[in-house]
PDB file of all heavy atoms in Angstrom:
ATOM      1  N   GLU A   1      -2.740  -2.098  10.840  1.00  0.00           N
ATOM      2  CA  GLU A   1      -3.802  -1.078  10.811  1.00  0.00           C
ATOM      3  C   GLU A   1      -3.358   0.157  10.025  1.00  0.00           C
ATOM      4  O   GLU A   1      -3.561   1.302  10.452  1.00  0.00           O
ATOM      5  CB  GLU A   1      -4.226  -0.692  12.235  1.00  0.00           C
ATOM      6  CG  GLU A   1      -4.779  -1.882  13.022  1.00  0.00           C
ATOM      7  CD  GLU A   1      -5.222  -1.505  14.425  1.00  0.00           C
ATOM      8  OE1 GLU A   1      -4.895  -0.389  14.886  1.00  0.00           O
ATOM      9  OE2 GLU A   1      -5.892  -2.339  15.071  1.00  0.00           O
ATOM     10  N   LEU A   2      -2.772  -0.087   8.850  1.00  0.00           N
ATOM     11  CA  LEU A   2      -2.306   0.990   7.983  1.00  0.00           C
ATOM     12  C   LEU A   2      -3.410   1.369   7.000  1.00  0.00           C
ATOM     13  O   LEU A   2      -4.122   0.500   6.477  1.00  0.00           O
ATOM     14  CB  LEU A   2      -1.062   0.546   7.209  1.00  0.00           C
ATOM     15  CG  LEU A   2       0.158   0.156   8.055  1.00  0.00           C
ATOM     16  CD1 LEU A   2       1.241  -0.430   7.167  1.00  0.00           C
ATOM     17  CD2 LEU A   2       0.680   1.355   8.826  1.00  0.00           C
ATOM     18  N   THR A   3      -3.514   2.652   6.722  1.00  0.00           N
ATOM     19  CA  THR A   3      -4.523   3.140   5.777  1.00  0.00           C
ATOM     20  C   THR A   3      -3.880   3.638   4.488  1.00  0.00           C
ATOM     21  O   THR A   3      -4.487   4.392   3.735  1.00  0.00           O
ATOM     22  CB  THR A   3      -5.346   4.270   6.410  1.00  0.00           C
ATOM     23  OG1 THR A   3      -4.459   5.328   6.808  1.00  0.00           O
ATOM     24  CG2 THR A   3      -6.127   3.771   7.618  1.00  0.00           C
ATOM     25  N   CYS A   4      -2.648   3.214   4.229  1.00  0.00           N
ATOM     26  CA  CYS A   4      -1.914   3.666   3.049  1.00  0.00           C
ATOM     27  C   CYS A   4      -2.401   2.945   1.800  1.00  0.00           C
ATOM     28  O   CYS A   4      -3.200   2.009   1.866  1.00  0.00           O
ATOM     29  CB  CYS A   4      -0.421   3.413   3.248  1.00  0.00           C
ATOM     30  SG  CYS A   4      -0.022   1.671   3.447  1.00  0.00           S
ATOM     31  N   GLY A   5      -1.884   3.386   0.651  1.00  0.00           N
ATOM     32  CA  GLY A   5      -2.252   2.776  -0.609  1.00  0.00           C
ATOM     33  C   GLY A   5      -1.673   1.376  -0.771  1.00  0.00           C
ATOM     34  O   GLY A   5      -0.602   1.065  -0.244  1.00  0.00           O
ATOM     35  N   ILE A   6      -2.404   0.540  -1.494  1.00  0.00           N
ATOM     36  CA  ILE A   6      -1.982  -0.824  -1.800  1.00  0.00           C
ATOM     37  C   ILE A   6      -1.706  -0.896  -3.295  1.00  0.00           C
ATOM     38  O   ILE A   6      -2.554  -0.512  -4.109  1.00  0.00           O
ATOM     39  CB  ILE A   6      -3.073  -1.839  -1.427  1.00  0.00           C
ATOM     40  CG1 ILE A   6      -3.429  -1.721   0.064  1.00  0.00           C
ATOM     41  CG2 ILE A   6      -2.653  -3.253  -1.783  1.00  0.00           C
ATOM     42  CD1 ILE A   6      -2.280  -2.016   0.998  1.00  0.00           C
ATOM     43  N   TYR A   7      -0.530  -1.398  -3.674  1.00  0.00           N
ATOM     44  CA  TYR A   7      -0.121  -1.372  -5.073  1.00  0.00           C
ATOM     45  C   TYR A   7       0.537  -2.690  -5.485  1.00  0.00           C
ATOM     46  O   TYR A   7       1.095  -3.418  -4.646  1.00  0.00           O
ATOM     47  CB  TYR A   7       0.898  -0.251  -5.312  1.00  0.00           C
ATOM     48  CG  TYR A   7       0.400   1.128  -4.960  1.00  0.00           C
ATOM     49  CD1 TYR A   7       0.622   1.656  -3.686  1.00  0.00           C
ATOM     50  CD2 TYR A   7      -0.262   1.917  -5.901  1.00  0.00           C
ATOM     51  CE1 TYR A   7       0.175   2.932  -3.354  1.00  0.00           C
ATOM     52  CE2 TYR A   7      -0.707   3.197  -5.573  1.00  0.00           C
ATOM     53  CZ  TYR A   7      -0.493   3.690  -4.303  1.00  0.00           C
ATOM     54  OH  TYR A   7      -0.940   4.962  -3.973  1.00  0.00           O
ATOM     55  N   THR A   8       0.489  -2.948  -6.772  1.00  0.00           N
ATOM     56  CA  THR A   8       1.277  -4.032  -7.355  1.00  0.00           C
ATOM     57  C   THR A   8       2.366  -3.487  -8.267  1.00  0.00           C
ATOM     58  O   THR A   8       3.167  -4.261  -8.807  1.00  0.00           O
ATOM     59  CB  THR A   8       0.384  -4.998  -8.168  1.00  0.00           C
ATOM     60  OG1 THR A   8      -0.297  -4.260  -9.184  1.00  0.00           O
ATOM     61  CG2 THR A   8      -0.622  -5.696  -7.256  1.00  0.00           C
ATOM     62  N   ASP A   9       2.445  -2.172  -8.425  1.00  0.00           N
ATOM     63  CA  ASP A   9       3.429  -1.521  -9.294  1.00  0.00           C
ATOM     64  C   ASP A   9       4.140  -0.425  -8.515  1.00  0.00           C
ATOM     65  O   ASP A   9       3.505   0.521  -8.035  1.00  0.00           O
ATOM     66  CB  ASP A   9       2.742  -0.927 -10.521  1.00  0.00           C
ATOM     67  CG  ASP A   9       3.734  -0.281 -11.465  1.00  0.00           C
ATOM     68  OD1 ASP A   9       4.402  -1.018 -12.214  1.00  0.00           O
ATOM     69  OD2 ASP A   9       3.858   0.952 -11.431  1.00  0.00           O
ATOM     70  N   LEU A  10       5.463  -0.549  -8.387  1.00  0.00           N
ATOM     71  CA  LEU A  10       6.221   0.410  -7.591  1.00  0.00           C
ATOM     72  C   LEU A  10       6.210   1.802  -8.202  1.00  0.00           C
ATOM     73  O   LEU A  10       6.064   2.795  -7.485  1.00  0.00           O
ATOM     74  CB  LEU A  10       7.666  -0.068  -7.423  1.00  0.00           C
ATOM     75  CG  LEU A  10       8.603   0.873  -6.663  1.00  0.00           C
ATOM     76  CD1 LEU A  10       8.099   1.149  -5.252  1.00  0.00           C
ATOM     77  CD2 LEU A  10      10.020   0.310  -6.635  1.00  0.00           C
ATOM     78  N   ALA A  11       6.366   1.907  -9.515  1.00  0.00           N
ATOM     79  CA  ALA A  11       6.378   3.220 -10.162  1.00  0.00           C
ATOM     80  C   ALA A  11       5.085   3.972  -9.889  1.00  0.00           C
ATOM     81  O   ALA A  11       5.089   5.183  -9.612  1.00  0.00           O
ATOM     82  CB  ALA A  11       6.606   3.067 -11.658  1.00  0.00           C
ATOM     83  N   GLN A  12       3.976   3.275  -9.951  1.00  0.00           N
ATOM     84  CA  GLN A  12       2.688   3.904  -9.653  1.00  0.00           C
ATOM     85  C   GLN A  12       2.623   4.345  -8.200  1.00  0.00           C
ATOM     86  O   GLN A  12       2.154   5.453  -7.894  1.00  0.00           O
ATOM     87  CB  GLN A  12       1.545   2.933  -9.944  1.00  0.00           C
ATOM     88  CG  GLN A  12       0.158   3.505  -9.654  1.00  0.00           C
ATOM     89  CD  GLN A  12      -0.948   2.481  -9.805  1.00  0.00           C
ATOM     90  OE1 GLN A  12      -0.690   1.310 -10.089  1.00  0.00           O
ATOM     91  NE2 GLN A  12      -2.188   2.905  -9.602  1.00  0.00           N
ATOM     92  N   ALA A  13       3.114   3.506  -7.301  1.00  0.00           N
ATOM     93  CA  ALA A  13       3.104   3.852  -5.883  1.00  0.00           C
ATOM     94  C   ALA A  13       3.918   5.112  -5.611  1.00  0.00           C
ATOM     95  O   ALA A  13       3.492   6.007  -4.868  1.00  0.00           O
ATOM     96  CB  ALA A  13       3.645   2.689  -5.058  1.00  0.00           C
ATOM     97  N   LEU A  14       5.089   5.213  -6.235  1.00  0.00           N
ATOM     98  CA  LEU A  14       5.935   6.385  -6.037  1.00  0.00           C
ATOM     99  C   LEU A  14       5.280   7.645  -6.606  1.00  0.00           C
ATOM    100  O   LEU A  14       5.314   8.716  -5.994  1.00  0.00           O
ATOM    101  CB  LEU A  14       7.296   6.155  -6.683  1.00  0.00           C
ATOM    102  CG  LEU A  14       8.174   5.086  -6.016  1.00  0.00           C
ATOM    103  CD1 LEU A  14       9.354   4.727  -6.915  1.00  0.00           C
ATOM    104  CD2 LEU A  14       8.665   5.566  -4.662  1.00  0.00           C
ATOM    105  N   ALA A  15       4.689   7.506  -7.780  1.00  0.00           N
ATOM    106  CA  ALA A  15       4.056   8.662  -8.417  1.00  0.00           C
ATOM    107  C   ALA A  15       2.870   9.167  -7.613  1.00  0.00           C
ATOM    108  O   ALA A  15       2.657  10.380  -7.502  1.00  0.00           O
ATOM    109  CB  ALA A  15       3.619   8.293  -9.829  1.00  0.00           C
ATOM    110  N   GLU A  16       2.092   8.261  -7.053  1.00  0.00           N
ATOM    111  CA  GLU A  16       0.857   8.661  -6.375  1.00  0.00           C
ATOM    112  C   GLU A  16       1.065   9.065  -4.913  1.00  0.00           C
ATOM    113  O   GLU A  16       0.257   9.807  -4.366  1.00  0.00           O
ATOM    114  CB  GLU A  16      -0.173   7.528  -6.456  1.00  0.00           C
ATOM    115  CG  GLU A  16      -0.659   7.271  -7.876  1.00  0.00           C
ATOM    116  CD  GLU A  16      -1.772   6.228  -7.939  1.00  0.00           C
ATOM    117  OE1 GLU A  16      -2.224   5.766  -6.859  1.00  0.00           O
ATOM    118  OE2 GLU A  16      -2.193   5.884  -9.067  1.00  0.00           O
ATOM    119  N   THR A  17       2.141   8.592  -4.293  1.00  0.00           N
ATOM    120  CA  THR A  17       2.343   8.882  -2.868  1.00  0.00           C
ATOM    121  C   THR A  17       3.348   9.992  -2.607  1.00  0.00           C
ATOM    122  O   THR A  17       3.373  10.562  -1.515  1.00  0.00           O
ATOM    123  CB  THR A  17       2.844   7.631  -2.125  1.00  0.00           C
ATOM    124  OG1 THR A  17       4.127   7.247  -2.656  1.00  0.00           O
ATOM    125  CG2 THR A  17       1.855   6.484  -2.261  1.00  0.00           C
ATOM    126  N   GLY A  18       4.199  10.289  -3.586  1.00  0.00           N
ATOM    127  CA  GLY A  18       5.256  11.263  -3.353  1.00  0.00           C
ATOM    128  C   GLY A  18       6.294  10.765  -2.361  1.00  0.00           C
ATOM    129  O   GLY A  18       6.955  11.562  -1.681  1.00  0.00           O
ATOM    130  N   ALA A  19       6.476   9.458  -2.274  1.00  0.00           N
ATOM    131  CA  ALA A  19       7.427   8.871  -1.337  1.00  0.00           C
ATOM    132  C   ALA A  19       8.854   9.305  -1.663  1.00  0.00           C
ATOM    133  O   ALA A  19       9.220   9.473  -2.825  1.00  0.00           O
ATOM    134  CB  ALA A  19       7.333   7.356  -1.367  1.00  0.00           C
ATOM    135  N   ASN A  20       9.663   9.491  -0.619  1.00  0.00           N
ATOM    136  CA  ASN A  20      11.070   9.831  -0.818  1.00  0.00           C
ATOM    137  C   ASN A  20      12.015   8.736  -0.327  1.00  0.00           C
ATOM    138  O   ASN A  20      13.231   8.900  -0.340  1.00  0.00           O
ATOM    139  CB  ASN A  20      11.416  11.166  -0.152  1.00  0.00           C
ATOM    140  CG  ASN A  20      11.118  11.180   1.336  1.00  0.00           C
ATOM    141  OD1 ASN A  20      10.834  10.140   1.947  1.00  0.00           O
ATOM    142  ND2 ASN A  20      11.155  12.364   1.932  1.00  0.00           N
ATOM    143  N   LEU A  21      11.446   7.615   0.113  1.00  0.00           N
ATOM    144  CA  LEU A  21      12.262   6.509   0.604  1.00  0.00           C
ATOM    145  C   LEU A  21      11.539   5.187   0.325  1.00  0.00           C
ATOM    146  O   LEU A  21      10.338   5.073   0.582  1.00  0.00           O
ATOM    147  CB  LEU A  21      12.503   6.656   2.108  1.00  0.00           C
ATOM    148  CG  LEU A  21      13.298   5.549   2.805  1.00  0.00           C
ATOM    149  CD1 LEU A  21      14.700   5.403   2.215  1.00  0.00           C
ATOM    150  CD2 LEU A  21      13.397   5.832   4.312  1.00  0.00           C
ATOM    151  N   VAL A  22      12.294   4.226  -0.203  1.00  0.00           N
ATOM    152  CA  VAL A  22      11.749   2.904  -0.466  1.00  0.00           C
ATOM    153  C   VAL A  22      12.494   1.880   0.373  1.00  0.00           C
ATOM    154  O   VAL A  22      13.728   1.871   0.409  1.00  0.00           O
ATOM    155  CB  VAL A  22      11.863   2.533  -1.957  1.00  0.00           C
ATOM    156  CG1 VAL A  22      11.516   1.056  -2.185  1.00  0.00           C
ATOM    157  CG2 VAL A  22      10.944   3.413  -2.795  1.00  0.00           C
ATOM    158  N   PHE A  23      11.739   1.042   1.068  1.00  0.00           N
ATOM    159  CA  PHE A  23      12.296  -0.144   1.715  1.00  0.00           C
ATOM    160  C   PHE A  23      12.163  -1.289   0.724  1.00  0.00           C
ATOM    161  O   PHE A  23      11.047  -1.694   0.388  1.00  0.00           O
ATOM    162  CB  PHE A  23      11.515  -0.505   2.982  1.00  0.00           C
ATOM    163  CG  PHE A  23      11.766   0.369   4.183  1.00  0.00           C
ATOM    164  CD1 PHE A  23      11.023   0.172   5.349  1.00  0.00           C
ATOM    165  CD2 PHE A  23      12.714   1.372   4.178  1.00  0.00           C
ATOM    166  CE1 PHE A  23      11.227   0.946   6.468  1.00  0.00           C
ATOM    167  CE2 PHE A  23      12.936   2.166   5.301  1.00  0.00           C
ATOM    168  CZ  PHE A  23      12.184   1.944   6.446  1.00  0.00           C
ATOM    169  N   ASP A  24      13.278  -1.818   0.231  1.00  0.00           N
ATOM    170  CA  ASP A  24      13.236  -2.952  -0.694  1.00  0.00           C
ATOM    171  C   ASP A  24      13.427  -4.241   0.097  1.00  0.00           C
ATOM    172  O   ASP A  24      14.541  -4.605   0.461  1.00  0.00           O
ATOM    173  CB  ASP A  24      14.321  -2.813  -1.756  1.00  0.00           C
ATOM    174  CG  ASP A  24      14.340  -4.019  -2.706  1.00  0.00           C
ATOM    175  OD1 ASP A  24      13.381  -4.825  -2.664  1.00  0.00           O
ATOM    176  OD2 ASP A  24      15.305  -4.149  -3.473  1.00  0.00           O
ATOM    177  N   VAL A  25      12.327  -4.910   0.363  1.00  0.00           N
ATOM    178  CA  VAL A  25      12.362  -6.156   1.128  1.00  0.00           C
ATOM    179  C   VAL A  25      11.851  -7.295   0.250  1.00  0.00           C
ATOM    180  O   VAL A  25      11.183  -8.218   0.720  1.00  0.00           O
ATOM    181  CB  VAL A  25      11.531  -6.033   2.431  1.00  0.00           C
ATOM    182  CG1 VAL A  25      12.065  -6.985   3.486  1.00  0.00           C
ATOM    183  CG2 VAL A  25      11.566  -4.615   2.991  1.00  0.00           C
ATOM    184  N   THR A  26      12.165  -7.208  -1.037  1.00  0.00           N
ATOM    185  CA  THR A  26      11.757  -8.222  -2.005  1.00  0.00           C
ATOM    186  C   THR A  26      12.794  -9.343  -2.069  1.00  0.00           C
ATOM    187  O   THR A  26      13.841  -9.284  -1.411  1.00  0.00           O
ATOM    188  CB  THR A  26      11.591  -7.597  -3.399  1.00  0.00           C
ATOM    189  OG1 THR A  26      12.863  -7.063  -3.821  1.00  0.00           O
ATOM    190  CG2 THR A  26      10.553  -6.477  -3.375  1.00  0.00           C
ATOM    191  N   ILE A  27      12.530 -10.343  -2.895  1.00  0.00           N
ATOM    192  CA  ILE A  27      13.498 -11.424  -3.086  1.00  0.00           C
ATOM    193  C   ILE A  27      14.671 -10.916  -3.915  1.00  0.00           C
ATOM    194  O   ILE A  27      14.555  -9.920  -4.632  1.00  0.00           O
ATOM    195  CB  ILE A  27      12.835 -12.649  -3.751  1.00  0.00           C
ATOM    196  CG1 ILE A  27      12.351 -12.309  -5.166  1.00  0.00           C
ATOM    197  CG2 ILE A  27      11.678 -13.168  -2.903  1.00  0.00           C
ATOM    198  CD1 ILE A  27      11.848 -13.522  -5.943  1.00  0.00           C
ATOM    199  N   PRO A  28      15.838 -11.578  -3.827  1.00  0.00           N
ATOM    200  CA  PRO A  28      17.024 -11.079  -4.549  1.00  0.00           C
ATOM    201  C   PRO A  28      16.815 -10.814  -6.031  1.00  0.00           C
ATOM    202  O   PRO A  28      17.368  -9.845  -6.569  1.00  0.00           O
ATOM    203  CB  PRO A  28      18.045 -12.198  -4.311  1.00  0.00           C
ATOM    204  CG  PRO A  28      17.665 -12.771  -2.992  1.00  0.00           C
ATOM    205  CD  PRO A  28      16.163 -12.735  -2.967  1.00  0.00           C
ATOM    206  N   ALA A  29      16.013 -11.627  -6.698  1.00  0.00           N
ATOM    207  CA  ALA A  29      15.813 -11.455  -8.135  1.00  0.00           C
ATOM    208  C   ALA A  29      15.116 -10.147  -8.480  1.00  0.00           C
ATOM    209  O   ALA A  29      15.180  -9.692  -9.628  1.00  0.00           O
ATOM    210  CB  ALA A  29      15.004 -12.625  -8.689  1.00  0.00           C
ATOM    211  N   SER A  30      14.469  -9.520  -7.517  1.00  0.00           N
ATOM    212  CA  SER A  30      13.733  -8.280  -7.772  1.00  0.00           C
ATOM    213  C   SER A  30      14.499  -7.028  -7.370  1.00  0.00           C
ATOM    214  O   SER A  30      14.039  -5.915  -7.629  1.00  0.00           O
ATOM    215  CB  SER A  30      12.389  -8.305  -7.014  1.00  0.00           C
ATOM    216  OG  SER A  30      11.583  -9.375  -7.454  1.00  0.00           O
TER     217      SER A  30
END
């Protein structure tokens, strides 16, 4: 039940949200 932004591009997500922390839970290749 999150109302946050949905993105396919991390750079865009960081620019638009002003986030200061990223949880990287992607596959090893990413």
